[in-house]
Structures are given as C-alpha cells and as structure tokens.
C-alpha cells in the first residue's frame, strides 16, 4: 500500500510540475507566431470534417482544435494546463469556432471508451511523461475505425536538438519519464500504437520558420515564451557561467540551422492511422 501511495503522490507532483511549466511564459504566442501552420496541417491529414466528434489531446491554446472546429466537427480540446484556455477561447471566438475546453491529463482521460471519431495531438501528447500510458489512453477513447492524427517534433530535428542541448542544464527526469521527441521517432511510435491500428502512415515534414531574424532572436523569444526553456533557465539561474553557456549553445544551435536570413526548417513526424 505504501508503494502504491508513494507512486501516486510522485505522479501527482510530476503532473503539477508539468502544468506549472506550460503556464510559464506565453505558449499561445509560440502557437500563433511560430507554429501556426501545424494545426491545420494535422487536421487536413487526419481528414476531419463535418459530423466528426474530435478529441484534441494536450491542445494548448487550440492550434489544432480551432481549425478542426472550423471544419464543422464537434471538438473537445483538452490540456493539463487550463491556463492556456483563456487565449484559446478568445481565438476561437474571433475565428467563429465553437468547441468545448476541458482540463484533462493525457495519461488519464475522463472520457468513455470509443467515444471519438478522431483523436489528434499537435506537438502536445508527446510531452506526457509516460508514453505507453498516454498512447493507451488515446487509443482507448478512439472508436474502432476512427482516425488518429499525431504531429511530433523529431529527435534529430531542430526542436529535438534544442531539448538535447538543454538536457544537461535541466534537473534529472523522474524515474519512468521518457524524452518527448521520442514520439517523433517512427520506430518508437509504431511500438506504442502499431499493433492496435491499421493503415498507419508516417512521413517526415519540415516547418519553415521565418519569424526570427537572427539566432539570438530565436533564443531570446524562447527564453521568454516557451515553458520548457524558461524552466531550464530557472534551474540554473544562480549559476551565471552555466546561463552564459546555455545562451551560447542555443545561439550556436540556431546558427547551425540557419538557411539564411534567420530562416530555419524544423522537422516533425506526421502520423495518421485507423483504430483497429
């Protein structure tokens, strides 16, 4: 009983930490100013349309939920961090989209089995710490024959490499937690869901990012707006040498990926499948 209670308490603390991390900074600015194209791309690839009942897991401020609702689908947008919903609701109202916003843990969804025609996640569910638990849940709530659409940063792409750069400066992950970019590894993804779906299609794409003039612009924007980056800098805030080192490494990362004039390609894996 003690072990079960201790595990439960540790998981609850971990989820509280994740919720607080994503509430830092201004993730809606990242969603609308940097990665706005990803949500519509996922919705289109998943074939969402009128009459579909859709669940968006780890929806943030609605980067994919709002485009899904605009197709005429009935959409439930969920996230562990409901603080993000305020901006999402405003954006949905401005776009004329009607959807339901619900706080929910991707690893323990509060929905019935087989309740949705399509389940999607746009660079969201990949950040749930326990990949198997999150995959089991998204499959559980998808009806047989329903569609699954997942868009995740790859380990070798720019954002995957950003997380690798930040890792030495971050606190050690808790036991059992897995790196988010593994969701962008096709082999890992197939291990998670492959035997429970049919017609699994996976392709690697690039998001062209043109909103940062220099590598320093990218670094400074993510230091102020992106929760995981803010959290890492807070972890080393008292060590000025390490802060300067991370500043330099993030700048060098952006410079290595600069195609000219601050333009970068950020690689992601787009996966669609049908629930068995």
């Amino acid at each position: 009983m003690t072990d079960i209670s201790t595990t439960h308490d540790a998981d609850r603390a971990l989820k509280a930490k994740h919720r607080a991390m994503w509430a830092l900074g201004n993730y809606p600015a990242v969603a609308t100013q940097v990665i706005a194209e990803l949500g519509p791309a996922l919705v289109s690839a998943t074939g969402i349309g009128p009459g579909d009942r859709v669940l968006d897991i780890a929806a943030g401020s609605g980067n994919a939920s709002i485009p899904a609702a605009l197709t005429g689908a009935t959409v439930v947008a969920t996230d562990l961090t409901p603080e993000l919903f305020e901006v999402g609701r405003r954006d949905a109202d401005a776009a004329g989209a009607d959807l339901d916003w619900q706080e929910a843990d991707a690893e323990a969804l509060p929905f019935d089995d087989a309740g949705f025609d399509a389940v999607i996640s746009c660079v969201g569910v990949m950040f749930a710490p326990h990949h198997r638990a999150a995959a089991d849940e998204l499959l559980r709530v998808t009806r047989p024959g329903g569609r699954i659409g997942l868009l995740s940063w790859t380990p070798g792409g720019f954002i995957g490499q950003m997380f690798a750069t930040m890792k030495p400066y971050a606190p050690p992950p808790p036991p059992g937690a897995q790196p988010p970019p593994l969701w962008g590894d096709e082999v890992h993804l197939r291990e998670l869901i492959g035997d429970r779906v049919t017609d699994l299609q996976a392709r690697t794409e690039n998001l062209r990012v043109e909103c940062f003039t220099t590598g320093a612009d990218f670094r400074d924007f993510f230091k102020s707006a992106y929760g995981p980056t803010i959290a890492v800098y807070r972890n080393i805030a008292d060590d000025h040498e390490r802060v300067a080192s991370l500043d330099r490494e993030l700048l060098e990362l952006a410079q290595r990926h600069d195609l000219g004039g601050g333009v970068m390609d950020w690689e992601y894996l787009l996966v669609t499948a049908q629930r068995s």
Side-chain angles (χ1 to χ4, degrees):
M1 180 66 71
T2 301
D3 289 343
I4 294 174
S5 176
T6 300
T7 300
H8 176 74
D9 289 345
D11 187 62
R12 186 166 55 185
L14 175 60
K15 298 302 172 59
K17 183 178 179 180
H18 271 238
R19 172 177 172 167
M21 178 183 72
W22 288 105
L24 296 171
N26 187 359
Y27 183 75
V30 178
T32 57
Q33 297 176 32
V34 186
I35 64 169
E37 298 174 23
L38 297 185
L42 178 61
V43 169
S44 176
T46 313
I48 292 170
D52 283 332
R53 178 164 167 76
V54 177
L55 176 66
D56 186 0
I57 299 174
S61 54
N63 187 34
S65 304
I66 294 171
L70 291 173
T71 70
T74 299
V75 179
V76 181
T78 66
D79 203 279
L80 188 66
T81 305
E83 290 87 342
L84 301 174
F85 293 165
E86 181 179 353
V87 173
R89 289 189 178 99
R90 290 202 303 266
D91 290 346
D93 288 345
D98 183 22
L99 60 153
D100 183 22
W101 303 84
Q102 293 190 35
E103 179 180 351
D105 180 352
E107 298 177 7
L109 295 169
F111 304 109
D112 293 336
D113 295 356
F116 294 91
D117 301 305
V119 176
I120 61 174
S121 188
C122 182
V123 294
V125 72
M126 64 180 290
F127 290 99
H130 307 110
H131 294 186
R132 175 65 65 181
D136 288 349
E137 279 294 272
L138 73 87
L139 288 162
R140 179 184 66 79
V141 300
T142 309
R143 68 166 176 81
R147 287 104 63 210
I148 293 164
L150 303 169
L151 192 155
S152 308
W153 302 119
T154 65
F158 179 79
I159 295 296
Q161 289 301 296
M162 183 188 76
F163 276 95
T165 299
M166 295 192 301
K167 182 179 179 179
Y169 301 91
Q178 295 174 281
L182 276 179
W183 278 82
D185 181 317
E186 183 178 345
V187 173
H188 180 71
L189 200 283
R190 286 183 180 273
E191 289 174 350
L192 289 177
I193 70 171
D195 61 348
R196 293 177 284 178
V197 300
T198 61
D199 194 28
L200 191 155
Q201 304 291 323
R203 65 179 189 267
T204 301
E205 303 280 359
N206 281 295
L207 171 70
R208 179 59 57 94
V209 176
E210 302 179 288
C211 53
F212 304 114
T213 303
T214 66
D217 288 341
F218 153 77
R219 179 198 62 204
D220 294 344
F221 178 82
F222 266 61
K223 282 178 67 173
S224 66
Y226 193 58
T229 306
I230 297 169
V232 169
Y233 271 98
R234 287 189 176 184
N235 183 59
I236 60 173
D238 294 333
D239 189 330
H240 299 301
E241 288 187 4
R242 297 192 78 200
V243 169
S245 177
L246 181 54
D247 275 346
R248 183 175 61 256
E249 289 190 39
L250 288 176
L251 175 61
E252 291 171 352
L253 174 70
Q255 290 172 335
R256 288 197 303 272
H257 284 78
D258 190 346
L259 301 176
V263 176
M264 293 182 281
D265 281 343
W266 293 4
E267 186 180 78
Y268 61 87
L269 181 72
L270 178 60
V271 172
T272 57
Q274 190 172 44
R275 182 71 166 96
S276 300

